[in-house]
């Protein structure tokens, strides 16, 4: 069997051993429902309280401003739908960007069908929004600005503190989808003027299916899910105690190792980028050259399809991703790559490699050596490449 090289850490991460150990007792020992009043429920309750403190500390929030959810998708849905509902009297206009995750974009499209108006801001060729364009888009009836902290495909980090300052100057609420950034970048909801923030445990070596929504004290936020009185009547459903305990441990570990992990990943990422750009012709780096997540490298290779690349990499045990999505049987290029201005034929040839703290330079060198051969092989079969070589176009 081939070795396995996992370079899809933006999709999900491996659970850290310490995280797993923090979760295990809650399955078979301290398994009581934390809402119960008997003493046996005390340990479960305590685990949730500890995790709330650990996860809140990472964004400088108060623990009671956090509501545990089933992950980033639920948090994004809740933040946007609830603000639209609660602030309906003030207005029905929302501002977001063209490069958000579908958890935000599809929620906004749903709200448009309910009578909201949504402005989707453009981004420049690096994936950054324009603060001037944001200022101009704000209207008296704008109730929410939702801009992601860092993009999941191309890794670009948005100017979150400035966006928050602009939102607050205009009395508009600011939500950020920090699913890719939480635990990887220093975030501070006070300094960055953030009112609502979505995070998800499985992007920082925590378990899948658990996240939180941070809601600044004083903000009206009707529940998304109706039922029991959990999470101070705002998010019904028996708490996922093991998942929440794991999330807390993952946040604690992320806080302790954030800087050294980012420095190590940045060095490896830059080595990867330098080798690919210098050794493979007709390829480009997508996203911002420096204001990008430390573990993200995203490329387009001209004359080939990202999916073919993925299949051949998979045959070597290399897990990577491409931005394209299969919509009704046809491959659609990533909306993010189109938004940064790439033509369809170039956007189709994308490859995202996302590192972890376990990635080694030896693995990356192996990937680049193999990628060079794969790209050559695919180009030899490409009529577009043949045409380009013959006619220079
Ligand atoms: N937002 C962003 C930016 C993401 O990258 C993801 C997951 O890939 C999500 C939201 C959805 O998070 P979850 O998988 O926890 O539902």
């Amino acid at each position: 069997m081939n070795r396995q090289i996992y370079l899809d850490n933006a999709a999900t991460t491996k659970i850290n051993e310490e995280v797993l150990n923090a979760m295990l007792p809650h399955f078979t020992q301290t398994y009581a429902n934390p809402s119960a009043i008997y003493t046996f429920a005390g340990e479960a309750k305590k685990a949730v309280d500890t995790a709330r403190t650990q996860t809140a500390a990472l964004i400088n929030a108060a623990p009671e401003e956090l509501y545990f959810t089933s992950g980033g998708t639920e948090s994004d849905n809740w933040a946007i739908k609830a603000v639209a509902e609660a602030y309906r009297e003030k207005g029905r206009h929302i501002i977001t960007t063209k490069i958000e995750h579908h958890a935000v974009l599809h929620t906004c499209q749903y709200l448009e069908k309910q009578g909201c108006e949504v402005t989707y801001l453009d981004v420049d060729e690096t994936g950054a929004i324009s603060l001037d364009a944001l200022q101009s888009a704000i209207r008296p009836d704008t109730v929410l600005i939702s801009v992601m902290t860092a993009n999941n495909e191309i890794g670009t980090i948005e100017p979150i503190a400035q966006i928050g300052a602009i939102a607050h100057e205009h009395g508009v609420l600011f939500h950020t989808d920090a699913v890719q950034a939480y635990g990887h970048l220093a975030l501070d909801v006070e300094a960055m003027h953030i009112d609502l923030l979505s995070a998800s445990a499985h992007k920082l070596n925590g378990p899948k299916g658990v996240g939180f929504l941070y809601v600044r004290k004083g903000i009206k936020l009707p529940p998304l899910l109706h039922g029991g009185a959990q999470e101070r009547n705002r998010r019904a459903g028996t708490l996922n105690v093991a998942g929440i305990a794991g999330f807390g441990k993952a946040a604690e570990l992320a806080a302790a190792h954030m800087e050294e992990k980012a420095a190590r990943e940045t060095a490896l990422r830059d080595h990867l980028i330098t080798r690919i750009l210098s050794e493979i012709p007709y390829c480009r780096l997508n996203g911002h050259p420096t204001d990008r997540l430390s573990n993200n490298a995203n490329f387009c290779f001209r004359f080939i399809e990202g999916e073919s690349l993925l299949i051949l990499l998979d045959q070597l045990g290399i897990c990577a991703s491409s931005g394209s999505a299969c919509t009704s049987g046809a491959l659609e290029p990533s909306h993010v790559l189109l938004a940064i201005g790439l033509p369809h034929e170039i956007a189709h040839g994308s490859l995202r490699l996302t590192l972890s703290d376990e990635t080694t330079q030896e693995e990356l060198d192996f990937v680049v050596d193999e990628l060079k051969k794969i790209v050559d092989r695919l180009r030899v079969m490409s009529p577009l490449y043949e045409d380009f070589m013959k006619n220079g176009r």
Side-chain angles (χ1 to χ4, degrees), residues 237-251:
T238 301
L239 289 169
N240 170 6
V241 179
I244 290 169
F247 192 8
K249 183 48 96 177

Side-chain angles (χ1 to χ4, degrees), residues 10-12 70-76 99-104 148-153 177-181 198-203 208-211 352:
T12 197
S70 63
T73 301
E74 182 187 329
S75 300
D76 286 343
I99 62 162
E100 297 299 311
H101 189 272
H102 285 140
V104 168
M148 68 199 322
T149 314
N151 184 268
N152 47 302
E153 288 187 36
D177 172 343
V179 168
Q180 292 288 336
S198 305
S200 182
H202 74 105
K203 308 292 188 182
K208 295 165 186 58
V210 57
R352 181 185 72 181

Side-chain angles (χ1 to χ4, degrees), residues 155-379:
T156 300
I157 299 168
E158 298 297 335
I160 290 303
Q162 289 98 312
I163 296 169
I166 291 171
H168 285 188
E169 269 163 36
H170 291 81
V172 176
L173 293 176
F174 175 40
H175 165 249
T176 189
D177 172 343
V179 168
Q180 292 288 336
Y182 178 78
H184 298 273
L185 290 180
L187 296 173
D188 182 326
V189 290
E190 293 306 325
M192 295 174 158
H193 317 281
I194 296 167
D195 298 306
L196 301 132
L197 179 145
S198 305
S200 182
H202 74 105
K203 308 292 188 182
L204 56 143
N205 307 102
K208 295 165 186 58
V210 57
F212 70 70
L213 180 65
Y214 155 79
V215 183
R216 180 179 290 282
K217 221 170 279 166
I219 291 180
K220 288 189 276 182
L221 207 78
L224 179 70
L225 302 181
H226 300 272
Q230 291 90 352
E231 296 297 83
R232 288 140 286 143
N233 277 315
R234 276 179 144 176
R235 200 281 186 177
T238 301
L239 289 169
N240 170 6
V241 179
I244 290 169
F247 192 8
K249 183 48 96 177
E252 184 191 273
L253 292 171
H257 303 293
M258 194 179 292
E259 276 179 36
E260 63 185 89
K261 184 171 173 282
R264 184 179 175 277
E265 280 176 354
T266 302
L268 284 175
R269 177 200 71 190
D270 290 346
H271 172 74
L272 176 72
I273 292 174
T274 306
R275 274 206 65 191
I276 290 186
L277 293 183
S278 62
E279 296 179 36
I280 303 183
Y282 311 115
C283 109
R284 55 164 279 142
L285 175 72
N286 298 316
H288 198 279
T290 51
D291 290 340
R292 67 186 304 136
L293 290 170
S294 56
N295 74 342
N296 175 294
N298 186 311
F299 305 92
C300 278
F301 299 92
R302 281 181 71 187
F303 317 114
I304 54 182
E305 295 276 340
E307 279 55 46
S308 316
L309 273 178
L310 292 188
I311 292 165
L312 295 176
L313 287 169
D314 182 42
Q315 288 174 2
L316 297 164
I318 299 165
C319 308
S321 109
S322 140
S324 306
C326 195
T327 321
S328 51
L331 274 180
E332 282 294 320
S334 135
H335 65 283
V336 176
L337 297 180
L338 296 181
I340 62 172
L342 296 184
H344 276 239
E345 68 275 14
I346 292 185
H348 268 303
S350 69
L351 178 72
R352 181 185 72 181
L353 301 170
T354 45
L355 287 51
S356 77
D357 53 357
E358 293 189 354
T359 306
T360 64
Q361 180 162 332
E362 188 273 322
E363 285 180 325
L364 295 179
D365 283 332
F366 174 78
V367 171
V368 178
D369 292 342
E370 294 302 324
L371 192 59
K372 282 161 70 174
K373 293 184 233 166
I374 291 172
V375 168
D376 279 350
R377 255 167 76 193
L378 290 172
R379 281 185 178 157

Side-chain angles (χ1 to χ4, degrees), residues 1-12:
M1 207 186 113
N2 276 323
R3 64 193 295 199
Q4 179 166 288
I5 299 179
Y6 185 76
L7 291 175
D8 202 16
N9 288 281
T12 197

